[in-house]
Amino acid sequence: MTNRITELLGTRYPILQGGMAWIAESTLASAVSNAGGVGLIAGGSAPIDYLRDQIRRCKELTDKPFGVNIMLMSPNAEDLAQLCIDEGVRVVTTGAGNPGKFIPAWKDAGIKVIPVVPSVALAKRMERSGADAVIAEGTESGGHIGENTTMCLVPQVVDAVKIPVIAAGGIADGRGIAASFMLGAEGVQVGTRFLASDEVQISPVYKQLVIDAKDTDNVVTGRTTGHPCRNVKTKFAKQLAAGEMNGTLTPEKFEEITLGSLRKAVQDGNLEEGSFLCGLIAGMVNEIKPCQAIIDEMFAQAGKLLNIEF
Ligand code: TUI
């Protein structure tokens, strides 16, 4: 099966890996690209030299298309945006903001631009700004989230724009892909499922938390700061959320306590001070597998449900 997303991306399957800050690096991205999707390296708030090195490594690990995610709240987003042009990156996704001012230069460089949007309004603006597609991301996603759900957001974005729509948030098997296609999406972005992959370079503590998580082991922190983030419900995350709720944790104190908490989770597996960002679908993720098996199995199941061959 080919559609507008496989044609846009030049891939076998219409799937992108989520641009997970501190997590999505060249080993994971190249594994997803080699498996027939588009792997993403997360710019996050990384130094420019780190991202350049990761892009070059990824080029050595795959001859397939891969991309970079630009997190727009990062203080060095502008430098990382330019680096994508300088390094000949083929696909850029963006998150946590409006990438409008970067789009003309990316398009001039031949980059496929795919912003994450949490609303119909931003989807329309991105289409007018020249985006090639949008990722409609529901609040089921891990990390920084909007308010709308995948089920409600995706069909509304599909109705509002002519460019292809990629669904994200709560998709971890073939049923999620089939459902997304029923809502009018032409592709999916998957993050949490790859946290339990062989290739992802995170602490074993993090992987085990995702595997052990039940449907209810999930909590949103940071609502008081205006940057809500979905996490595994560890004792630390529960305490943060409770402190925000009862007013004992000010937004300033919250920022202070969580500074560096992504790194502490990903690299150190630090349960006391780490933020283990993770989507709501973790309850369904129970087994570590290679990216190739994850993707092949997802699309085999989706193909049966949709009666098409991916
Ligand atoms: O960006 C994400 N997920 C992320 S980013 C991240 S790193 C981070 N760390 C601490 C605080 C905040 C972020 C961890 N996870 N997903 C894509 C996404 N984009 N979700 C929501 C949005 C979004 C929100 C508002 C996109 C655009 C937007 O526009 C507002 C505007 O300016 O119009």
Side-chain angles (χ1 to χ4, degrees):
M1 198 246 13
T2 60
N3 67 12
R4 289 194 292 172
I5 292 298
T6 58
E7 276 161 22
L8 178 71
L9 301 174
T11 55
R12 172 169 180 206
Y13 295 122
I15 182 170
L16 288 94
Q17 164 231 317
M20 302 169 281
W22 283 98
I23 294 174
E25 47 65 71
S26 53
T27 312
L28 177 64
S30 59
V32 170
S33 289
N34 284 331
V38 166
L40 265 291
I41 300 169
S45 46
I48 189 163
D49 291 341
Y50 168 84
L51 185 59
R52 186 185 300 106
D53 179 59
Q54 287 297 318
I55 292 169
R56 291 183 181 175
R57 278 186 205 210
C58 203
K59 285 178 192 162
E60 281 170 18
L61 294 168
T62 184
D63 55 5
K64 301 276 195 321
F66 67 89
V68 168
N69 174 265
I70 301 293
M71 205 277 278
L72 295 160
M73 275 168 42
S74 165
N76 60 348
E78 187 128 17
D79 290 346
L80 301 183
Q82 181 59 41
L83 179 70
C84 292
I85 296 171
D86 298 342
E87 290 295 317
V89 170
R90 286 154 75 168
V91 179
V92 167
T93 67
T94 64
N98 179 345
K101 68 173 177 178
F102 300 122
I103 294 181
W106 282 335
K107 294 303 303 166
D108 284 350
I111 296 173
K112 308 296 182 204
V113 180
I114 314 181
V116 168
V117 297
S119 66
V120 167
L122 193 62
K124 285 176 161 173
R125 281 176 76 178
M126 293 299 94
E127 178 171 56
R128 281 199 301 272
S129 301
D132 293 285
V134 287
I135 301 166
E137 188 180 284
T139 195
E140 295 92 324
S141 292
H144 182 53
I145 48 169
E147 293 289 347
N148 215 331
T149 62
T150 304
M151 179 81 100
C152 296
L153 180 64
V154 171
Q156 294 185 74
V157 172
V158 166
D159 286 347
V161 298
K162 293 196 176 67
I163 53 177
V165 177
I166 294 163
I171 303 164
D173 70 2
R175 293 172 296 181
I177 297 173
S180 300
F181 275 59
M182 286 292 140
L183 298 175
E186 293 173 63
V188 292
Q189 177 192 267
V190 170
T192 298
R193 182 64 192 86
F194 293 116
L195 295 176
S197 66
D198 282 329
E199 294 90 346
V200 73
Q201 305 290 304
I202 58 176
S203 156
V205 174
Y206 203 145
K207 284 193 202 186
Q208 199 59 44
L209 275 178
V210 174
I211 288 168
D212 292 344
K214 301 189 300 300
D215 55 344
T216 51
D217 292 333
N218 202 280
V219 65
V220 177
T221 59
R223 289 209 188 272
T224 55
T225 68
H227 308 302
C229 264
R230 188 177 294 288
N231 310 253
V232 179
K233 197 197 272 177
T234 58
K235 198 169 144 205
F236 176 63
K238 241 188 322 198
Q239 281 168 350
L240 287 175
E244 288 190 280
M245 283 278 275
N246 65 27
T248 55
L249 190 58
T250 62
E252 296 72 30
K253 188 77 183 154
F254 179 94
E255 298 285 8
E256 192 187 314
I257 294 176
T258 55
L259 188 70
S261 65
L262 300 189
R263 186 193 59 72
K264 286 177 187 167
V266 173
Q267 292 184 353
D268 310 338
N270 182 340
L271 287 165
E272 277 70 47
E273 298 174 348
S275 294
F276 295 82
L277 304 187
C278 174
L280 257 180
I281 201 71
M284 213 173 69
V285 176
N286 300 318
E287 202 184 345
I288 298 175
K289 288 186 183 182
C291 290
Q292 183 78 63
I294 292 171
I295 294 173
D296 284 344
E297 287 171 19
M298 284 180 81
F299 280 96
Q301 187 185 24
K304 275 191 198 143
L305 292 169
L306 295 166
N307 203 20
I308 52 179
E309 198 164 328
F310 283 101

